[in-house]
Amino acid sequence: MIADFLQYDFIRNAAFVGLMIGFLAPLLGVFIVVRRQALIADALSHITLAGIAASLLISKQIGAFKMLNPVYLGMAFSVTGSVLIERLRKEYKHYQELAIPIILSVGIGLSVVFISLANGFNTDLFNYLFGSIIAVDSSDVWMVLSILVVVTIAIVLFYKELFLLSFDEDQAQVAGIRSRFIQFLFMVMVALVIAASMRIVGILLVSSLITLPVAASIRIAKGFKQTIWIAILFGETAVITGLFTAYYFDLAPGGTIVLLSALILIIVITWKKYRYAFQRSKEA
Amino acid sequence: MESSVVSINNVTFSYQERPVLEKINLDVPEGSFLALLGPNGSGKSTLIKLLLGLLPLHQGSIHLFGENVKKFRAWHRIGYVSQKANSFNSGFPATVFEVVSMGLFGKIGMFRFMKKSHKQRVMQAIQTVGLDEYTNQNIGELSGGQQQRAFIARALVSDPKLLILDEPTVGVDASSVDDFYELLKRLNREHGITLVLVTHDMGPVTDLVTHVACLNKRLHFHGDTHEYENMDNRELSSFYGHPVHAMDHQHD
Ligand SMILES: Nc1ncnc2c1ncn2[C@@H]1O[C@H](COP(=O)(O)OP(=O)(O)OP(=O)(O)O)[C@@H](O)[C@H]1O
Ligand SMILES: [Mg+2]
């Protein structure tokens, strides 16, 4: 069955990309969630959508632009958005979360304008919104692979700094850590991973792949490193089974993956509850 | 002659327009244990942040181990537990081991990894504060007093010569507080660590500290514990702005 599943190029592409984002999204997700910034992923994904809509619009006007993968312009928008969020957070020191709805609504606003300029939806855009297996081509595989390599190296190199910064900003400063640089680097990584993920899960669902596995992992893990590993395990499980299910039942992969992530979350929560009840009844 | 670990000269500071500190002069001799006293809003935390370089210093000067704070880089020689340390995100998934390791990150430096020797140091620091059993527990699962010990361990792990604690016992129950102060005493007397303890309750630390400084925008008093005890109540009242009795804090 798996051999059958992998015999088509497009499925193989989707499977590679799936494996990579199943690793990347929860990895960054852990750092995002522990800072209580889960919504940042939403803001950035909507800005990414604006970039993609812009790219589709331009290629309608200028034929040569079709050669360029729209994800690149999406990425450019998303990185710009992440820089803007940082600036806004400085501007509103005591209302830092305001940056998120501001960027989110600007992203949607831009997208809607670009889409209407291009005279409405087409299937391409639909695929970006909800994800698709068929749409993944080999240029996507290479792009996601480069992002995987860059982001993984950056996380390994800056693990200490990212960890300390997430836990305690004052202490990070006393330890002489260049917080602004690290924070900037991190936001750029988030922007890249969002752009990488959305081919398969779609823009509207990217943030759930970033947060749901972490939400489940955080319930049961001991320590930060373990939280990361378990989140990745959950992410990969959801992506692999999700792609598989989506292919056989002809469903949108994004939705399937997200629902499976939610299922994992429910199982974890129930298991924890049940386990406590079980322990208590044993003690009684 | 004793040398100063911290020397603060003529420091004046204001947030926006409002002055918070005026003409502060304060020396902390090596090996001493200073209690920095003052009511809420008297500028204690602000002074600490200035000497850690967390706030920009515009008037006056601060020297740490003889070096100007603006040029100071050897932050691993200073351990700091902030007033906010016990209001951290208690759902944060980090074990005691991981939290304590953070204290070494500055010393290890960028692009380098924790080595075995670092891990041993972390274990030692955890032992010093008596949290061995909890090494692999999530920090959020510990009691307030235990969490505070974990933060002390984090401050201690880089082997600092100066330890600064900003109201470390807020929210810690009385019996844990006693143990905690016992620990501080040991660090000061046995390990020779210079300590600065910010508090607004002198009672429980009277026998512990060697020096006292009373701050309320200006430095109202600075001297050793004897001088503080001999100061009459009128002086203290003028400092707090209402009548108090120096030895009124009954403890135990
Ligand atoms: N970030 C800030 N911006 C503006 N004003 C501030 C800021 N932090 C503190 N202040 C003001 O400076 C004064 C001194 O504050 P500080 O935190 O140093 O007091 P404290 O002695 O540590 O008080 P507490 O015992 O409550 O901790 C207060 O009046 C406070 O309102
Ligand atoms: Mg304070």
Side-chain angles (χ1 to χ4, degrees):
Chain A
M1 200 157 103
I2 290 179
D4 175 43
F5 178 70
L6 288 177
Q7 77 180 346
Y8 301 104
D9 270 350
F10 73 90
I11 294 182
R12 231 180 343 216
N13 289 339
F16 279 142
V17 171
L19 279 175
M20 293 191 278
I21 62 171
F23 172 83
L24 279 176
L27 172 63
L28 287 190
V30 172
F31 292 95
I32 298 175
V33 170
V34 297
R35 294 181 198 196
R36 307 180 195 276
Q37 293 179 350
L39 284 171
I40 273 190
D42 277 297
L44 289 182
S45 62
H46 286 84
I47 276 285
T48 311
L49 174 65
I52 284 170
S55 188
L56 293 175
L57 175 64
I58 298 171
S59 38
K60 249 191 172 173
Q61 320 290 336
I62 308 162
F65 211 79
K66 279 208 178 73
M67 307 288 292
L68 191 76
N69 194 328
V71 174
Y72 286 111
L73 202 55
M75 229 184 265
F77 270 61
S78 167
V79 171
T80 315
S82 66
V83 175
L84 289 178
I85 288 181
E86 276 311 292
R87 298 221 69 156
L88 283 170
R89 279 157 52 89
K90 290 246 157 53
E91 224 37 58
Y92 291 98
K93 239 174 174 293
H94 301 284
Y95 299 96
Q96 295 204 349
E97 71 283 359
L98 257 184
I100 291 165
I102 292 174
I103 293 297
L104 191 128
S105 39
V106 169
I108 298 176
L110 280 174
S111 312
V112 172
V113 167
F114 290 143
I115 290 167
S116 60
L117 280 175
N119 291 323
F121 275 93
N122 51 23
T123 44
D124 252 8
L125 197 57
F126 191 82
N127 287 342
Y128 284 111
L129 282 177
F130 299 106
S132 150
I133 301 184
I134 313 169
V136 182
D137 59 29
S138 60
S139 83
D140 290 313
V141 176
W142 288 110
M143 181 189 68
V144 177
L145 183 63
S146 337
I147 293 176
L148 176 86
V149 171
V150 171
V151 169
T152 309
I153 291 176
I155 294 268
V156 170
L157 283 181
F158 296 105
Y159 175 80
K160 296 196 308 298
E161 287 76 12
L162 284 166
F163 177 46
L164 182 46
L165 204 57
S166 309
F167 188 76
D168 185 341
E169 288 191 37
D170 267 1
Q171 199 72 35
Q173 210 177 333
V174 176
I177 279 165
R178 296 168 58 195
S179 350
R180 290 181 63 176
F181 167 70
I182 301 283
Q183 176 63 18
F184 171 75
L185 193 78
F186 179 70
M187 290 299 285
V188 171
M189 289 195 279
V190 174
L192 292 178
V193 168
I194 285 172
S197 310
M198 92 206 143
R199 262 303 194 187
I200 288 197
V201 285
I203 285 157
L204 296 177
L205 300 172
V206 167
S207 69
S208 43
L209 190 58
I210 290 179
T211 50
L212 285 182
V214 182
S217 164
I218 227 166
R219 301 291 303 224
I220 50 176
K222 283 258 178 279
F224 198 72
K225 281 204 172 127
Q226 211 184 79
T227 306
I228 293 179
W229 290 120
I230 297 179
I232 290 172
L233 181 76
F234 287 159
E236 293 286 14
T237 310
V239 168
I240 295 165
T241 42
L243 280 178
F244 215 64
T245 319
Y247 172 70
Y248 279 102
F249 297 97
D250 198 18
L251 305 166
T256 320
I257 291 169
V258 168
L259 288 180
L260 282 167
S261 308
L263 185 67
I264 293 174
L265 180 64
I266 291 168
I267 293 173
V268 166
I269 292 174
T270 321
W271 178 73
K272 258 217 116 166
K273 272 230 170 78
Y274 173 78
R275 204 189 50 163
Y276 278 131
F278 182 69
Q279 278 174 351
R280 240 178 280 135
S281 73
K282 239 184 13 185
E283 276 158 22
Chain B
M1 210 192 94
E2 292 173 312
S3 57
S4 291
V5 172
V6 179
S7 80
I8 299 173
N9 291 300
N10 243 325
V11 165
T12 295
F13 182 83
S14 38
Y15 291 104
Q16 285 92 42
E17 304 289 273
R18 204 161 40 94
V20 173
L21 294 171
E22 263 174 25
K23 297 210 167 82
I24 308 291
N25 287 290
L26 181 65
D27 265 34
V28 183
E30 193 178 340
S32 65
F33 187 156
L34 173 75
L36 183 57
L37 291 175
N40 288 130
S42 53
K44 305 181 297 290
S45 298
T46 304
L47 187 62
I48 298 300
K49 285 182 186 156
L50 282 168
L51 73 84
L52 289 166
L54 294 174
L55 287 171
L57 181 63
H58 298 302
Q59 286 176 59
S61 69
I62 295 177
H63 287 77
L64 301 168
F65 301 99
E67 184 155 4
N68 194 309
V69 66
K70 289 177 180 163
K71 301 216 180 81
F72 190 76
R73 286 290 167 273
W75 291 111
H76 59 86
R77 300 179 72 182
I78 301 179
Y80 168 52
V81 179
S82 78
Q83 189 171 12
K84 286 190 304 184
N86 42 16
S87 65
F88 71 105
N89 166 10
S90 62
F92 197 102
T95 60
V96 170
F97 185 91
E98 287 176 320
V99 169
V100 176
S101 315
M102 288 184 211
L104 278 177
F105 289 174
K107 200 172 189 175
I108 297 173
M110 275 230 232
F111 305 119
R112 287 162 202 267
F113 301 99
M114 271 186 88
K115 291 197 238 116
K116 206 167 178 182
S117 60
H118 295 128
K119 290 183 181 161
Q120 281 164 355
R121 293 272 289 281
V122 173
M123 290 309 297
Q124 261 172 26
I126 292 175
Q127 254 163 31
T128 307
V129 299
L131 281 181
D132 327 33
E133 289 174 61
Y134 301 93
T135 309
N136 294 315
Q137 289 277 337
N138 276 345
I139 181 91
E141 296 165 3
L142 268 55
S143 74
Q146 291 168 333
Q147 286 171 357
Q148 211 56 40
R149 282 164 178 265
F151 290 121
I152 301 284
R154 179 177 69 172
L156 283 177
V157 69
S158 64
D159 206 5
K161 299 287 166 275
L162 168 66
L163 188 57
I164 301 173
L165 308 159
D166 195 346
E167 302 201 36
T169 53
V170 174
V172 177
D173 68 66
S175 73
S176 308
V177 167
D178 290 341
D179 287 351
F180 180 76
Y181 284 138
E182 237 359 86
L183 169 66
L184 293 190
K185 191 170 177 177
R186 204 151 45 81
L187 292 173
N188 179 243
R189 310 290 203 270
E190 289 168 25
H191 298 244
I193 297 174
T194 310
L195 274 161
V196 174
L197 174 73
V198 175
T199 176
H200 46 229
D201 186 8
M202 182 63 183
V205 294
T206 316
D207 302 331
L208 242 65
V209 300
T210 59
H211 293 73
V212 181
C214 300
L215 185 74
N216 197 354
K217 199 153 122 185
R218 287 181 298 117
L219 196 63
H220 288 251
F221 171 84
H222 178 216
D224 65 28
T225 323
H226 275 298
E227 295 171 272
Y228 177 79
E229 282 174 4
N230 293 333
M231 186 170 48
D232 75 29
N233 287 339
R234 245 177 324 141
E235 285 176 70
L236 267 181
S237 308
S238 79
F239 159 58
Y240 276 105
H242 59 82
V244 283
H245 307 282
M247 293 300 117
D248 227 19
H249 305 284
Q250 250 138 40
H251 198 71
D252 298 351

